Amino acid sequence: MFSRGVNELKWGLDPTVLTEQLFELWNRKDLQTLHLAALQGFSKLSEPLEALLTILESCPGKQKGRSHTLGHHILMEFQTWLKKHPQVTLSSLSDQQAMALQRRALSLITDTQPSFVDTLINIYHLSSLDPTILRLHIVRLQALNCYKEAVVLSVKLKLQRELNMEEMCVPLILLDKLSLAESFVTGDNHLEQQLVTLLDSWCHPNFCVEVISKQFPRLSVSKHCMGQIKPKMLTKHVLRLVEKFHIDHGLCPNALRKRRQDSLRFLMYKRFVEKSMTQENWSDHVQYVVADDLELQIQLVEMLLRYDGLQKASQWSLRYNIPRNRLPYGVWETQQSLPPHLQQVHLGDSAQTEEWMPSESHCQKFYQVPITKDKVHFVDTPEALHRCQNIVLKDGGIVGVDMEWQPTFGCMSTQKVALIQLAVFDQVFLLDLSANGLREHPDTISFIRSFFSAQNVLKLGYGMAGDLKCLLATWHQFLEEPLKMEGVLDLLSIHQKIQRGKVKLTQNGPKEVLVGEDSAEKGLSLLVQQVLGRRLDKTEQMSNWEKRPLRISQIRYAVADAYCLLAVYSVLSSKPEWFGLPPDLHSISSSQSEKGGEKKQKDKWAKQTKQAHDKEECQGAQRGSPPRSDTEKGLLCGKKPSEDSPPLPPQQLRVVCDNMLQGLGRYLRCLGVDVVMLENTDDHREAAKLAQAEGRVILTCGQPYQSLRSQVGEGRCLSLDCSEKARDQAVRVLRHFNVQPTHSDIFSRCQACNSDQYVAVPREDMLRMLKQKGFLQDQDTHQTQQKSHQQEEEKLDDILTPGETSELPRYALQCRWAPLSGLDPDTLTFPGGAPIQLHAVPPALLSRIPLFYVCTRCGKVFWEGSHFGRVISMFQEVLHITDSESAAAPVTGAQQN
C-alpha cells in the first residue's frame, strides 16, 4: 500500500485503479460518491487526456435499466472537472501525441448521444483532424451498419461535402429516417438539390425499391419501412422539401407529374362520380392540371373515354392535337365523324347570362343572403377601397371575413389570395386582388394592417389559420413586420365547442341528425345548417378565382360565405344556451390555449398506452372486455375471419370512423357496434390516437388510409370505397368482421353519444318533469291524461305491441340500465352532469307513449316508434333472426327525438 502511494506521487494515479473504483461505485449506484471520486481521481492523473481515453476504452457498454453508460457518466464528470483546469489541453502535447489521442477518441464515437459525441469532439478537437482520417471512420461506421451514427457524426464534423450523398442518405431513407437525411444536406444548396433529385427519381413509374435495397445487402429493412417507399408518399416529401429548401420545381418533374396525375383523377371523381363540380369549374381546373404535358393530356382523353364516352374524349383530343398513334381505340374515327360545331370543347361563359336570384328549389335547399345585388360592391380601385374602408372600420362594427384563392391541388404549396369578402349587415365588399395593381398598391397593404389591428371592430371568420397563411403568401411584408390581430373571433372554435357538446339545433328549435340522413356537410356549411337550418351551396368552392369576370354563381357563393358569419353570430350570441355555449362567446376562443396542454397530456397518455399494449398479442383484443377466444381476438385485430368461424356480437366490435364515414358510423352504431366518430373539424390522425389508446379498428377511405395504416398494428385499419353508400359500407364492414346483429341489438346504443346505459322513465314521470321545466302547461297535461286513459283502454293495439306498454324494450339485455333515482330531482341532471333533453319531447307524443328511455351520458330521449322497422328492412341481409324473434309478432322500434 505504501509503495502504491509513492508511485501515485511520482507517476500519478494509475487509470486502471481509478476505473475499478468508479466501476464499483457505478454498480452500487452510489452516484454521489462516484462524482467526488471522479473529480479527485482526475486531479491525480499525470496525463488526464490520455488517461480518460484509457478509462473510456475499458468501460462496459449499455446496461439494462440504465439510461446512460458508465463511460458517458465519466465523460460528463471529466467535462465538469476540465472547466476548473483549463490548462489541460491538447496544445500542451506534441503534434504526434495529440494526433494519436485524437484517433483514439474518434474510435470511441459509435454512440449518437449528442452530449457524448459533442464532448469528445470538443475535448480532443476532432474537427481539426485530417478529413481523410475522418472520412475513413465514417466509412467504418457504415460498414458496421451504424448508418444513423455515421450521419450524425458527419454533420457534427461538417464532412457532408467530403462524402457521397447517396451512400449516406439512401440507407436512412430505406430505414424510414428521412429526417436524418434532411439534416445531412440542410444548409448546402448543392446537397439539398441532390437529395430532392434522388427522391424525385424514385417517383418515376418504373422505379423499383427492391433494386435499391439490393445495393445494401447488410441493411435489414422491415415491411413497414418498405411500405413507406411509395410514389404518393415520396411525392409529398419531394414537394415539401422543394418548398423548404427553396428549390426550382423543374428539378422534380416526376413528383409534379405524379401530383398532377392524382389531381386529374380527383377531378374526374368530383365531376363524373360525385357529380359535385360544374362543367365550367372542371374545365378550368383540368386545363391548369394538364397544362402542356402530352402524357397527362393523353391520360385525360383515356379517362374521358371511360367516364364520358367517345365524343367528349374526341373533342379534348382535338383541343390538344394529340398524335393519332397515341389516341385510344375509336377516338380517331369519332374525330372524323364529328360535325364542325362539335369539334371544339365548349367551355362556356355564364358570367353574363346568370340571374342574381337563384331558382326556388335552390332557395329552399340552401342558405340565401338577405341582400340584393346592388348591395354587393366590387373593390377594384384605390377609390373604391377608400369607400370600403370608411364603412368596415366604423367603431363598434361587426364584419364577416372570408377569402378565396385559386386551388392548386398540391402542385404548389403557396396560394395567393384572389378575393377578400368583407360583409356588414346591409352590404358586402369584394376586394378584387386580381384587378390591375390593387394587390401591390400601398393603400391595400395599409388597409389590411388597419383592418386586422382595429380593436373596436369585431372580425368574424371560420378557420382563419388558412386565410392568414394565404395572406402571408400574398404579401411578404407581413412576414417582415407581422400583422397585429385584434378583435378577431374565429367561429371554428365555437363550432368545435358545439360539436363536443353534441348539440345540433336550428333557429326554430331542436334538430338531431337521424340515422340514415345525409350529413355530408362539413366545416362552415355544417355550422350554418345547424344554426340557420339550411346549408351553404359549396358548388363554387373549388372555382378558378383568378379568372375574370367572375360568374354570378361565384359572386353569390363568395357573398354567402362572408355574410353567413354575421347571421350565425347573431343567433349564437342571442341564444347561446340553445347550443350549450357560455354567454360570452369570446371566452371560448380565448380558452383554446388552455386546451393545448390538455391535448399534449392526452397525446402523451395515448403514446404510453400504445407502448404498453405493444407487448400484447393484439391491441384492444383484451382491453375493457371479458376473456375472449382466439377467433374474437383475431376479428378485433382486423383480420378477416374464416368461413367456419363463429359470428361476433356487435358489442365486441370496437371501431373509430374517420370523419368522411360518419354516415357509416351511425348505421353501425344503430346496429349495436361500439363506434367512435371523428368530428368534421378533427384531423385524420386523431383516428390513430383513438385506435391506439382504446384498442379500436380504424375505418377510413381515400388518401388517409396509407398514413393511418402505418400508425397502427397490421390489420387494424380497414379502407372502404368512398363512392359506396353508407348503408352498403356498413354491410361490407359487418361481413368483413363476421358480425351478425339481431333484433335485440338494434338501438342498443345511444345514437348521439355511443353510450349503452339508459334509464327508463314512465309517462307520469315524464309529464311531471316537462311541467317542472315549463315545457308543458296544465291544460296540456289535462288533455294528455285524457288521451292517455283512452289509449290505455284501447290497449294501444295499433301503435305498440301488447308486451311493450310497461316493459323495457327488446334491446334491454344488450344495455346497462340505471335507476331513475340517480337523476337529480331539482336540476333533472344525471351524475355525469348531462340534463334530460326535455325540449325535444313533443307534448302530443305523451298520449301514446307509456315509457321513455333516456341516455344517462347525454340526456337524449328515445321512445318506441317506426324507425326500427326501417332499419330491419335496410339490413335484412345481415341480420341474424333467432327462433324467438321469428316467432314473435312484428315490433316497432326506438324512435329518435
Side-chain angles (χ1 to χ4, degrees):
M1 179 67 73
F2 176 76
S3 173
R4 176 176 162 183
V6 171
N7 286 335
E8 285 185 10
L9 291 173
K10 185 176 181 181
W11 304 106
L13 179 62
D14 186 349
T16 306
V17 175
L18 180 58
T19 302
E20 293 173 355
Q21 181 184 2
L22 297 178
F23 188 53
E24 181 181 353
L25 294 171
W26 175 258
N27 285 335
R28 283 164 35 193
K29 299 184 180 180
D30 188 354
L31 299 183
Q32 185 174 359
T33 306
L34 187 149
H35 169 70
L36 296 174
L39 296 181
Q40 293 174 4
F42 294 149
S43 298
K44 295 178 182 179
L45 296 169
S46 59
E47 296 292 341
L49 293 175
E50 182 179 358
L52 174 63
L53 294 175
T54 301
I55 295 172
L56 294 177
E57 288 165 350
S58 61
C59 283
K62 290 184 178 180
Q63 294 171 281
K64 187 176 181 180
R66 301 275 191 169
S67 59
H68 299 299
T69 62
L70 173 60
H72 179 270
H73 202 85
I74 291 174
L75 187 59
M76 296 304 103
E77 296 291 358
F78 188 84
Q79 187 179 33
T80 303
W81 175 84
L82 203 58
K83 292 177 182 177
K84 297 182 179 179
H85 301 79
Q87 73 279 6
V88 179
T89 61
L90 278 181
S91 58
S92 61
L93 305 175
S94 66
D95 292 343
Q96 188 175 359
Q97 289 176 315
M99 181 174 291
L101 294 183
Q102 286 177 314
R103 299 188 74 154
R104 287 177 61 188
L106 186 63
S107 65
L108 288 171
I109 299 181
T110 56
D111 196 328
T112 54
Q113 181 120 17
S115 56
F116 187 91
V117 177
D118 291 340
T119 304
L120 276 179
I121 290 174
N122 293 333
I123 291 175
Y124 293 97
H125 306 297
L126 297 185
S127 299
S128 64
L129 262 177
D130 185 348
T132 304
I133 298 175
L134 296 174
R135 188 168 59 249
L136 287 173
H137 180 69
I138 298 296
V139 172
R140 185 174 71 86
L141 288 176
Q142 287 188 300
L144 296 172
N145 287 348
C146 297
Y147 299 103
K148 178 182 175 182
E149 291 78 1
V151 165
V152 170
L153 183 59
S154 63
V155 171
K156 290 182 179 298
L157 296 175
K158 297 180 174 56
L159 291 174
Q160 296 98 311
R161 277 280 188 169
E162 304 290 331
L163 301 165
N164 183 289
M165 187 280 300
E166 290 194 18
E167 291 179 358
M168 298 295 296
C169 293
V170 168
L172 295 175
I173 300 171
L174 294 176
L175 293 172
D176 197 19
K177 297 184 185 299
L178 179 59
S179 58
L180 270 178
E182 287 181 42
S183 68
F184 179 83
V185 303
T186 299
D188 189 306
N189 186 253
H190 178 69
L191 292 176
E192 291 170 350
Q193 292 183 6
Q194 279 188 321
L195 178 61
V196 168
T197 304
L198 171 69
L199 291 174
D200 182 71
S201 68
W202 290 14
C203 297
H204 194 277
N206 297 329
F207 171 74
C208 180
V209 67
E210 286 76 14
V211 175
I212 300 295
S213 62
K214 288 179 181 178
Q215 298 176 14
F216 301 88
R218 296 188 303 273
L219 191 65
S220 177
V221 184
S222 67
K223 288 184 178 179
H224 166 75
C225 293
M226 291 290 280
Q228 297 299 303
I229 313 298
K230 299 292 184 183
K232 190 170 186 178
M233 189 67 70
L234 291 169
T235 297
K236 181 179 178 181
H237 287 309
V238 168
L239 297 178
R240 175 179 60 83
L241 293 177
V242 164
E243 299 300 327
K244 176 181 178 180
F245 296 144
H246 305 289
I247 293 175
D248 182 8
H249 282 74
L251 289 177
C252 53
N254 295 312
L256 282 176
R257 174 173 288 177
K258 177 66 175 66
R259 179 59 59 87
R260 290 180 183 274
Q261 287 174 336
D262 293 341
S263 300
L264 185 57
R265 280 192 288 268
F266 171 76
L267 289 170
M268 300 300 290
Y269 173 81
K270 297 291 284 186
R271 174 64 183 156
F272 297 104
V273 179
E274 194 178 85
K275 298 182 168 53
S276 61
M277 184 176 287
T278 65
Q279 176 67 36
E280 283 183 285
N281 285 336
W282 181 84
S283 298
D284 286 343
H285 295 320
V286 159
Q287 293 175 84
Y288 168 77
V289 169
V290 169
D292 56 356
D293 190 313
L294 176 61
E295 297 302 321
L296 288 176
Q297 294 168 357
I298 294 171
Q299 288 186 34
L300 170 63
V301 172
E302 292 171 347
M303 289 182 180
L304 283 170
L305 181 62
R306 186 164 65 251
Y307 283 102
D308 204 22
L310 275 169
Q311 178 174 313
K312 190 68 70 173
S314 300
Q315 289 173 336
W316 282 87
S317 67
L318 286 169
R319 176 179 180 81
Y320 287 119
N321 196 26
I322 296 176
R324 179 178 179 179
N325 65 323
R326 301 297 305 275
L327 291 174
Y329 177 78
V331 173
W332 171 262
E333 292 75 14
T334 305
Q335 284 182 0
Q336 307 309 305
S337 63
L338 286 176
H341 70 280
L342 290 179
Q343 291 183 2
Q344 292 185 350
V345 178
H346 296 284
L347 302 179
D349 185 6
S350 59
Q352 305 302 326
T353 59
E354 289 182 272
E355 295 291 335
W356 173 253
M357 283 300 297
S359 65
E360 184 177 347
S361 61
H362 186 279
C363 293
Q364 292 176 352
K365 190 175 183 180
F366 299 108
Y367 166 78
Q368 305 295 323
V369 294
I371 58 175
T372 55
K373 185 180 179 181
D374 61 303
K375 297 296 183 180
V376 178
H377 310 291
F378 264 85
V379 179
D380 51 8
T381 65
E383 294 75 22
L385 180 63
H386 183 70
R387 291 193 293 270
C388 167
Q389 182 172 347
N390 290 337
I391 294 175
V392 301
L393 289 182
K394 287 181 179 179
D395 282 354
I398 303 176
V399 184
V401 184
D402 193 39
M403 303 177 196
E404 308 298 340
W405 49 83
Q406 168 72 8
T408 61
F409 305 100
C411 299
M412 292 179 61
S413 64
T414 56
Q415 295 168 306
K416 293 186 177 182
V417 179
L419 193 73
I420 298 179
Q421 305 101 280
L422 303 176
V424 293
F425 280 103
D426 58 349
Q427 53 193 320
V428 177
F429 295 92
L430 304 180
L431 274 65
D432 187 3
L433 300 179
S434 295
N436 291 335
L438 188 65
R439 181 182 282 135
E440 293 77 20
H441 200 283
D443 289 354
T444 305
I445 301 171
S446 176
F447 167 71
I448 296 295
R449 285 195 184 278
S450 302
F451 176 70
F452 282 104
S453 63
Q455 296 182 355
N456 297 328
V457 177
L458 176 60
K459 278 80 66 179
L460 303 174
Y462 188 95
M464 297 193 74
D467 294 336
L468 292 177
K469 181 180 179 182
C470 287
L471 277 179
L472 296 179
T474 306
W475 290 289
H476 295 292
Q477 296 92 326
F478 298 150
L479 289 172
E480 301 163 3
E481 184 182 346
L483 274 175
K484 291 182 180 180
M485 304 295 289
E486 302 285 351
V488 175
L489 179 62
D490 194 335
L491 294 184
L492 174 59
S493 303
I494 295 173
H495 194 192
Q496 289 171 334
K497 173 73 173 175
I498 294 175
Q499 293 293 86
R500 284 194 295 269
K502 302 291 184 182
V503 179
K504 300 180 177 70
L505 307 174
T506 66
Q507 199 169 5
N508 299 321
K511 180 182 186 298
E512 285 284 354
V513 180
L514 300 180
V515 173
E517 285 190 347
D518 179 20
S519 66
E521 297 307 304
K522 297 180 181 180
L524 179 58
S525 182
L526 177 63
L527 177 62
V528 172
Q529 184 180 41
Q530 291 171 341
V531 177
L532 304 179
R534 286 188 176 91
R535 57 194 173 101
L536 292 174
D537 180 6
K538 307 296 283 187
T539 307
E540 296 291 348
Q541 182 180 30
M542 296 178 63
S543 295
N544 183 356
W545 292 100
E546 298 282 353
K547 184 179 179 181
R548 294 295 180 270
L550 293 175
R551 298 185 299 277
I552 293 296
S553 56
Q554 285 181 291
I555 298 173
R556 275 203 309 261
Y557 168 82
V559 170
D561 249 22
Y563 195 92
C564 71
L565 299 170
L566 300 174
V568 167
Y569 177 75
S570 178
V571 174
L572 293 181
S573 58
S574 62
K575 298 177 180 178
E577 68 278 0
W578 280 20
F579 303 89
L581 300 173
D584 182 11
L585 299 182
H586 300 264
S587 65
I588 299 174
S589 183
S590 61
S591 66
Q592 296 307 305
S593 57
E594 299 174 7
K595 299 185 181 296
E598 298 175 5
K599 185 176 186 301
K600 288 181 180 178
Q601 185 65 29
K602 181 179 177 181
D603 292 346
K604 181 179 179 182
W605 177 82
K607 183 178 180 181
Q608 292 172 345
T609 305
K610 179 183 183 300
Q611 291 172 347
H613 283 271
D614 280 344
K615 297 180 181 179
E616 296 183 10
E617 63 187 74
C618 173
Q619 279 186 340
Q622 300 175 353
R623 183 175 175 82
S625 59
R628 295 169 177 156
S629 66
D630 291 339
T631 301
E632 289 174 344
K633 291 175 184 176
L635 292 173
L636 290 175
C637 289
K639 299 176 182 176
K640 191 167 184 176
S642 59
E643 293 182 359
D644 56 349
S645 61
L648 185 72
Q651 292 77 15
Q652 293 183 358
L653 177 60
R654 311 181 75 216
V655 302
V656 51
C657 283
D658 206 343
N659 45 27
M660 297 180 292
L661 296 175
Q662 291 178 344
L664 164 64
R666 282 191 295 277
Y667 276 133
L668 292 177
R669 189 181 283 173
C670 85
L671 294 171
V673 176
D674 185 347
V675 180
V676 172
M677 289 182 282
L678 296 192
E679 299 291 351
N680 291 309
T681 52
D682 285 340
D683 188 276
H684 297 294
R685 289 170 291 190
E686 290 297 321
K689 294 175 183 176
L690 284 168
Q692 294 164 359
E694 300 178 12
R696 296 181 180 272
V697 174
I698 299 175
L699 302 181
T700 185
C701 65
Q703 295 182 354
Y705 172 66
Q706 295 297 335
S707 60
L708 289 174
R709 182 181 63 174
S710 66
Q711 298 178 56
V712 294
E714 186 174 355
R716 303 287 298 168
C717 186
L718 183 64
S719 178
L720 295 152
D721 187 356
C722 298
S723 63
E724 278 190 331
K725 293 183 178 180
R727 179 261 177 202
D728 298 330
Q729 292 173 336
V731 171
R732 187 178 300 277
V733 170
L734 294 173
R735 286 177 171 168
H736 178 89
F737 292 102
N738 196 20
V739 175
Q740 294 183 5
T742 65
H743 284 180
S744 61
D745 294 315
I746 297 175
F747 301 125
S748 59
R749 286 190 174 275
C750 173
Q751 299 304 288
C753 71
N754 196 47
S755 172
D756 63 349
Q757 186 180 67
Y758 297 89
V759 63
V761 180
R763 174 168 43 214
E764 293 73 21
D765 290 307
M766 183 61 70
L767 281 167
R768 176 181 52 79
M769 289 187 287
L770 287 169
K771 188 175 179 180
Q772 177 182 336
K773 289 298 183 180
F775 292 101
L776 199 64
Q777 303 302 321
D778 290 336
Q779 184 179 1
D780 296 329
T781 305
H782 179 68
Q783 294 175 354
T784 299
Q785 289 175 342
Q786 279 188 334
K787 292 181 180 178
S788 174
H789 292 315
Q790 294 172 4
Q791 293 290 344
E792 287 176 0
E793 290 174 359
E794 294 171 3
K795 295 185 180 181
L796 306 173
D797 48 14
D798 64 332
I799 297 177
L800 298 175
T801 57
E804 290 180 322
T805 56
S806 59
E807 297 178 2
L808 293 177
R810 77 199 63 72
Y811 51 82
L813 296 178
Q814 308 295 354
C815 307
R816 295 177 297 132
W817 292 91
L820 186 58
S821 59
L823 187 70
D824 189 303
D826 297 321
T827 62
L828 299 183
T829 58
F830 291 104
I836 295 185
Q837 298 181 22
L838 296 171
H839 61 270
V841 181
L845 193 70
L846 294 166
S847 62
R848 54 190 178 88
I849 301 297
L851 197 61
F852 295 85
Y853 316 110
V854 184
C855 172
T856 59
R857 180 186 294 173
C858 68
K860 184 172 175 61
V861 183
F862 297 85
W863 57 86
E864 296 290 334
S866 59
H867 204 37
F868 175 78
R870 291 199 294 272
V871 175
I872 289 285
S873 62
M874 290 179 70
F875 292 99
Q876 267 186 328
E877 61 185 293
V878 290
L879 283 172
H880 176 65
I881 310 300
T882 62
D883 293 339
S884 60
E885 288 171 340
S886 61
V891 293
T892 55
Q895 175 70 47
Q896 292 184 310
N897 53 28

